[in-house]
Amino acid sequence: MDALKEASLDNDEVREILKNTTDLRQYSRQIEKEFKDVENKSIEDYIAESQNIANLHNQINDCDEVLERMENMLMSFQSVLNNISTEITQLQRKSVSMSLQLTNRQSVKAQLSQFIEDMAVSEEMINIIMDTPVTEREFSTQLNVLNHKLSLVKELSFKESKSTSDVSDVLHKLRLKAMSKIRSYLLEQIYKFRKPMTNYQIPQNAMLKHKFFFEFILSNERHVAQEICSEYIDTMGKIYYSYFKSYSTRLSSLKFEESCTKDDLMGIEDNASKGLFAKTTSLKHKSTIFTIGKRGDILNQQLEAPIIVPHAQLKNRYTPEALFRSEQYALVDNACREYLFVTEFFMVRNTQAQDLFNQIMGKTLTLMIKNLETSIHDCYDTIAMFLCIHLIFRYQLMCHKRCVPALDKYWDSLQAVIWPRFEHVFRLNIQSIHDCDPTKFNKEMGPHYITRRYAEFSAAIVGISEHFPNELVSRLLLELQNEVECFILRMAAIFATRKDQLIYLINNYDLVLGVLMEHTRDNSKEAEAFREQLNARSAEYVDEILAPHFGGIIQFVKEGEQYVEKDQADELRKQERRSLALVASFSANWKKSLEELNREVLLSFPSLLTGSQLLQLALASLVQYYHRFHKLLTPNARAQLTNIHVVMVEIKKYKSNY
């Protein structure tokens, strides 16, 4: 576009020249002249400025020389810098090399120094190992150092290291000396256990304080370690066996002279001359065999009470479970401490710890199992046996809390001894009730002694087993409950009238329920079963005692309500004469009937609370019948009926304060 514009301008200029001038040659000469004038003027200007141009030329030459020198100087600097860079690179390489050499030498120095220190045997160590008593702290410190050196030499000997030959002889002698002193010390501590009246916790604590001694021997001479372990096992095994054999024998002398026999079963007739503990306690009735009383405290407050000291309790006598608790708690205390000691001192765990513990305590545990088998063979005290079983549960749990599982098989063995006997005696009690002949007992409407025994016994068993329920116990309790219910029904059958039968049933059911609720949870299966029986018999009894006094009204209400249901109003109106007679009879006798009801109920039941409850139940039932009777009456008969408010005021006089 620019070229086109310039061409256009030239054309315009040419056209302008052609327009104004006719002779081109003349115009050309004119232009040449103008060029010549311009050239001459330029030459004149140049001549005029020649001096300045010469000066400028000289200055340019001078600048060239300066720049040349500067160039040479810079080139020299560049050469020097190149040399310096080369030297720096060389120095850097030398520095890296020297640093690597220093690191290697320091590493070698540290390892070599540590090796020399580990291998060197100082005079101080020799003197302390040879002369210092083993109980001193310095001996233990140097023994650790010696053990480290021995381990290192042993490791290097497998690599055929020549450096070990310089110190192996000295270390060997020191090892023998140290082991000799340690062996003597540990055996001395073990022999202290054998002295009479020794508190063996003291030497055990001393051994634990220096438990590294056994570790040193075990890592260097296993046969010496085995010797010490065997000596300890033999010594402690005999000590525990002797102690528990003596303790069990002395405890057995503290039991009651008269214990339960096969004549003390639940269904056997009471005999006051031959009660449990008759010669040694104030509990002289056989009923105490089936009552737990404070014996249950042995599972709670007395579980970890101090053990019985026989020689200090010669005048006292104890129940079987109290003697069992003392013996087993002594075992738990000693066995747990022993297990924890052997695991820590002899450095054994799991199966090895169990095997070592069994070697020490095995004979003692076998003795205690045999003693239990002997003592329980003729035991008829079911509650005592059940308490012993639950003592086992709690002591086993206690051992687990102390991280001692070593007695688990022992506890299982004890249970295997007690459970069969417990079940056998339990079934003997059930059978004794089954074999009872109701005709041999007196006709008394109060609670039977067998019922009382059952109530106390069942409450005791249920209360004990709340925290550790057992299927066998539940099954036995159900069998016993069924047998007792059958016995109560058989006993009720000896009474002639249904009312007497109901009084007998209510008295017995009420006793059982009261005892169960006192000692167990309200919602126990046994309590629920007898509550249902009591409610059913109470309702029936209420109908029985209301019938003689208000039977006509009750019968009229039942028949009249049937007429209403069948929509037979005419038939109901036909009963007006009968209803008027009932109204007249009620108005004449209702106060007297209430008095007779009150007297009869309260005299029939030894428990004032039970009698009062039954009376209130009867009066409530009477009020309900009275309301229903009122609704069925004709207006004429209703007008003659005693006002309900008057009846209620009179009934409130018999309201119980119990």
Side-chain angles (χ1 to χ4, degrees):
M1 293 294 292
D2 291 340
L4 291 174
K5 288 180 180 179
E6 290 178 0
S8 176
L9 290 173
D10 291 342
N11 292 334
D12 292 339
E13 187 176 354
V14 172
R15 282 193 297 269
E16 183 65 28
I17 293 170
L18 292 175
K19 183 193 289 185
N20 297 327
T21 305
T22 56
D23 190 357
L24 291 176
R25 287 188 295 272
Q26 183 181 353
Y27 184 74
S28 174
R29 285 191 295 270
Q30 183 182 349
I31 292 303
E32 286 178 2
K33 182 181 179 182
E34 288 176 3
F35 279 146
K36 190 70 173 179
D37 292 339
V38 171
E39 180 180 359
N40 290 334
K41 287 180 181 180
S42 296
I43 293 171
E44 291 175 0
D45 291 339
Y46 183 78
I47 292 171
E49 295 296 330
S50 60
Q51 185 63 41
N52 292 333
I53 292 173
N55 292 335
L56 178 61
H57 178 71
N58 292 333
Q59 289 177 3
I60 291 174
N61 288 335
D62 292 339
C63 286
D64 286 341
E65 292 176 1
V66 171
L67 291 173
E68 184 178 0
R69 288 196 302 272
M70 289 182 67
E71 181 181 8
N72 293 333
M73 188 184 298
L74 291 174
M75 293 298 292
S76 175
F77 285 164
Q78 184 179 8
S79 177
V80 171
L81 288 175
N82 288 335
N83 293 335
I84 290 174
S85 176
T86 303
E87 290 178 0
I88 289 174
T89 302
Q90 292 175 352
L91 289 173
Q92 186 177 10
R93 290 174 180 173
K94 288 182 179 180
S95 176
V96 172
S97 176
M98 291 175 67
S99 176
L100 181 59
Q101 291 176 1
L102 178 61
T103 302
N104 292 338
R105 288 179 182 181
Q106 287 178 340
S107 177
V108 171
K109 178 183 177 182
Q111 295 183 15
L112 188 59
S113 299
Q114 184 64 44
F115 179 77
I116 293 172
E117 183 180 348
D118 291 342
M119 293 295 292
V121 182
S122 65
E123 288 292 333
E124 180 186 10
M125 186 178 74
I126 295 173
N127 293 333
I128 291 176
I129 295 296
M130 297 297 292
D131 302 328
T132 304
V134 296
T135 54
E136 297 293 330
R137 179 176 295 180
E138 291 81 2
F139 181 86
S140 297
T141 302
Q142 294 301 326
L143 186 66
N144 274 282
V145 176
L146 176 60
N147 189 56
H148 175 69
K149 294 181 184 296
L150 289 170
S151 300
L152 179 61
V153 169
K154 185 183 296 184
E155 180 182 350
L156 292 174
S157 64
F158 290 113
K159 300 179 181 180
E160 299 181 356
S161 176
K162 294 182 179 181
S163 58
T164 59
S165 60
D166 294 337
V167 295
S168 59
D169 186 53
V170 176
L171 292 176
H172 177 69
K173 292 178 180 179
L174 288 176
R175 178 176 66 85
L176 293 178
K177 181 62 178 178
M179 289 182 56
S180 175
K181 294 172 70 173
I182 292 172
R183 175 182 176 276
S184 299
Y185 171 77
L186 292 178
L187 290 177
E188 179 185 351
Q189 296 302 312
I190 293 172
Y191 293 152
K192 287 181 180 179
F193 294 127
R194 301 178 180 181
K195 296 180 180 179
M197 306 300 291
T198 297
N199 182 359
Y200 52 84
Q201 293 184 42
I202 296 175
Q204 275 187 340
N205 291 335
M207 293 173 70
L208 284 177
K209 184 179 179 181
H210 302 289
K211 59 183 179 181
F212 178 71
F213 289 173
F214 185 79
E215 181 181 350
F216 177 81
I217 292 178
L218 185 63
S219 61
N220 291 281
E221 285 293 342
R222 286 190 171 271
H223 72 276
V224 177
Q226 184 61 44
E227 177 193 3
I228 293 172
C229 187
S230 299
E231 196 67 32
Y232 180 83
I233 291 171
D234 181 64
T235 300
M236 293 308 297
K238 291 179 179 178
I239 289 173
Y240 284 125
Y241 181 80
S242 175
Y243 168 75
F244 280 100
K245 182 179 181 181
S246 172
Y247 187 64
S248 298
T249 302
R250 287 182 293 166
L251 274 183
S252 63
S253 65
L254 301 180
K255 63 183 180 181
F256 289 105
E257 295 179 6
E258 290 192 10
S259 58
C260 298
T261 66
K262 62 182 179 180
D263 295 326
D264 296 312
L265 299 174
M266 194 176 295
I268 304 298
E269 186 176 359
D270 199 1
N271 186 350
S273 64
K274 190 181 179 182
L276 177 64
F277 320 143
K279 294 184 179 181
T280 54
T281 72
S282 60
L283 303 175
K284 296 183 179 181
H285 299 289
K286 192 166 65 174
S287 59
T288 57
I289 300 172
F290 308 100
T291 304
I292 191 168
K294 294 184 178 181
R295 295 168 72 181
D297 293 344
I298 204 168
L299 300 177
N300 301 300
Q301 299 95 316
Q302 300 177 18
L303 184 64
E304 298 184 51
I307 64 173
I308 298 171
V309 182
H311 65 270
Q313 304 292 336
L314 293 176
K315 295 182 180 180
N316 296 327
R317 291 296 178 266
Y318 295 91
T319 56
E321 70 273 8
L323 301 177
F324 180 83
R325 182 211 72 85
S326 183
E327 185 176 22
Q328 300 307 317
Y329 187 54
L331 175 68
V332 167
D333 199 34
N334 285 275
C336 288
R337 185 170 54 248
E338 187 62 33
Y339 181 83
L340 295 175
F341 172 80
V342 298
T343 55
E344 184 175 359
F345 184 79
F346 293 107
M347 299 180 298
V348 289
R349 293 290 183 272
N350 302 327
T351 305
Q352 291 181 333
Q354 183 70 57
D355 293 341
L356 184 56
F357 178 83
N358 290 340
Q359 291 179 55
I360 297 171
M361 299 293 298
K363 190 176 179 181
T364 301
L365 299 180
T366 301
L367 170 69
M368 296 183 70
I369 294 171
K370 289 183 178 179
N371 288 344
L372 179 64
E373 290 174 347
T374 302
S375 62
I376 208 170
H377 179 70
D378 56 352
C379 178
Y380 287 86
D381 191 342
T382 317
I383 292 179
M385 287 187 284
F386 200 51
L387 286 171
C388 290
I389 290 172
H390 281 264
L391 282 171
I392 292 172
F393 293 154
R394 284 162 173 78
Y395 284 138
Q396 186 172 15
L397 185 61
M398 184 185 297
C399 289
H400 288 172
K401 289 181 179 179
R402 297 182 183 182
C403 300
V404 179
L407 288 175
D408 285 351
K409 289 185 178 179
Y410 169 73
W411 300 127
D412 293 341
S413 299
L414 292 187
Q415 291 189 56
V417 173
I418 300 176
W419 275 117
R421 182 65 186 177
F422 170 80
E423 182 180 4
H424 174 69
V425 177
F426 205 117
R427 293 194 181 281
L428 287 179
N429 280 286
I430 296 173
Q431 187 63 37
S432 68
I433 297 173
H434 179 78
D435 294 340
C436 284
D437 184 0
T439 59
K440 294 182 179 180
F441 297 107
N442 296 328
K443 286 187 177 182
E444 296 179 359
M445 289 187 290
H448 198 277
Y449 71 83
I450 290 180
T451 305
R452 185 176 297 277
R453 290 177 184 176
Y454 163 75
E456 296 287 352
F457 178 78
S458 180
I461 298 298
V462 172
I464 293 171
S465 60
E466 280 183 349
H467 298 293
F468 295 91
N470 181 273
E471 184 179 352
L472 172 63
V473 175
S474 300
R475 188 167 64 251
L476 291 172
L477 282 172
L478 181 60
E479 293 179 18
L480 178 62
Q481 175 187 329
N482 293 335
E483 198 59 56
V484 169
E485 289 180 358
C486 291
F487 171 76
I488 293 174
L489 293 174
R490 285 189 286 135
M491 281 296 302
I494 68 175
F495 295 97
T497 65
R498 181 57 182 169
K499 184 173 68 174
D500 289 345
Q501 292 176 359
L502 291 171
I503 293 173
Y504 177 81
L505 291 174
I506 291 172
N507 279 327
N508 282 270
Y509 291 152
D510 180 65
L511 171 68
V512 174
L513 183 61
V515 174
L516 286 174
M517 292 181 65
E518 180 182 356
H519 296 287
T520 65
R521 304 187 313 273
D522 291 347
N523 59 347
S524 65
K525 293 185 293 184
E526 292 77 12
E528 287 296 330
F530 281 97
R531 185 180 288 109
E532 291 178 5
Q533 292 283 4
L534 179 61
N535 291 338
R537 300 292 82 79
S538 296
E540 188 178 352
Y541 173 73
V542 166
D543 291 341
E544 285 289 332
I545 60 174
L546 288 178
H549 304 284
F550 307 103
I553 291 177
I554 294 173
Q555 185 63 30
F556 183 86
V557 168
K558 292 179 179 179
E559 294 176 0
E561 288 179 345
Q562 289 182 358
Y563 290 141
V564 172
E565 289 178 3
K566 296 178 181 179
D567 198 17
Q568 297 176 350
D570 294 340
E571 292 295 330
L572 182 60
R573 281 193 292 271
K574 292 178 181 179
Q575 303 293 326
E576 183 176 6
R577 181 180 297 179
R578 178 185 171 191
S579 65
L580 289 172
L582 290 173
V583 169
S585 175
F586 178 84
S587 300
N589 301 313
W590 69 276
K591 289 187 178 181
K592 181 181 178 182
S593 297
L594 290 181
E595 292 177 358
E596 292 178 357
L597 272 178
N598 179 62
R599 183 172 56 256
E600 178 183 358
V601 172
L602 295 182
L603 289 177
S604 299
F605 299 95
S607 171
L608 292 177
L609 179 61
T610 303
S612 177
Q613 290 175 343
L614 287 169
L615 177 61
Q616 297 305 313
L617 188 63
L619 294 177
S621 180
L622 173 61
V623 170
Q624 290 178 358
Y625 277 118
Y626 196 76
H627 276 292
R628 292 156 65 187
F629 180 61
H630 182 271
K631 291 179 180 179
L632 296 173
L633 295 178
T634 61
N636 181 32
R638 192 176 300 168
Q640 301 179 36
L641 185 66
T642 305
N643 191 287
I644 184 63
H645 297 292
V646 176
V647 176
M648 292 299 297
V649 169
E650 188 67 23
I651 285 177
K652 287 181 179 179
K653 295 180 181 179
Y654 299 98
K655 186 176 181 180
S656 171
N657 294 322
Y658 300 104

